[in-house]
């Protein structure tokens, strides 16, 4: 999963973050050991120039937050950058490479949900 989360093709990352989110929900023990690196790649993929990968990365992080419960350890190193990126999405400050605002259907909702879930960890 780690290699796929770092893949250069956004469609591959989109799929792996969907899988990571599903694993966090259904079989969290399978990703627990690699969670620090997977979270790092998910945060890096919060990039509006690749909307599908971005949306799935945000969703997967939210699912990981739910499964962490009160154990914030895996999320703590990524929290500052994650919050910064989520706030940018919520405030409409996500810009593409040309400096134009980016709006991705459903992304603001996922960002809001993930922000709430992160706050509960």
């Amino acid at each position: 999963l780690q290699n796929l989360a770092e893949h250069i093709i956004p469609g591959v990352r989109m799929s792996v973050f969907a899988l990571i989110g599903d694993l966090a929900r259904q079989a969290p023990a399978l990703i627990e050991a690699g969670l620090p690196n997977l979270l790092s790649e998910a945060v890096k993929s919060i990039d509006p120039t690749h909307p599908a990968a971005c949306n799935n990365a945000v969703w997967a992080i939210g699912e990981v937050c739910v499964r962490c419960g009160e154990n914030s350890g895996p999320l703590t190193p990524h929290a500052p950058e994650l919050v910064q990126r989520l706030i940018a999405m919520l405030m409409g400050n996500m810009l593409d490479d040309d400096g134009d605002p980016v709006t991705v259907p459903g992304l603001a909702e996922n960002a809001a949900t993930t922000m709430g879930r992160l706050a509960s960890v």
Side-chain angles (χ1 to χ4, degrees), residues 77-115:
H78 309 289
E81 184 177 3
L82 177 57
V83 168
Q84 180 181 6
R85 289 177 185 242
L86 291 174
I87 288 173
M89 276 189 267
L90 293 170
M91 300 299 294
N93 294 335
M94 297 279 298
L95 304 175
D96 64 15
D97 291 337
D98 297 326
D100 298 321
V102 175
T103 54
V104 178
L107 186 56
E109 291 84 354
N110 271 347
T113 300
T114 296
M115 184 69 89

Side-chain angles (χ1 to χ4, degrees), residues 8-79:
I8 192 166
I9 298 173
V12 172
R13 291 194 315 273
M14 172 196 69
S15 297
V16 79
F17 292 127
L19 178 58
I20 290 168
D22 285 341
L23 288 172
R25 293 177 88 171
Q26 304 299 324
L30 293 176
I31 60 171
E32 189 174 345
L35 205 51
N37 292 332
L38 293 173
L39 284 169
S40 177
E41 292 305 318
V43 171
K44 289 177 191 172
S45 289
I46 300 176
D47 174 0
T49 59
H50 305 292
C54 179
N55 203 13
N56 284 5
V58 170
W59 175 77
I61 292 168
E63 292 301 324
V64 168
C65 289
V66 170
R67 297 299 168 240
C68 281
E70 294 186 17
N71 176 18
S72 64
L75 292 160
T76 300
H78 309 289

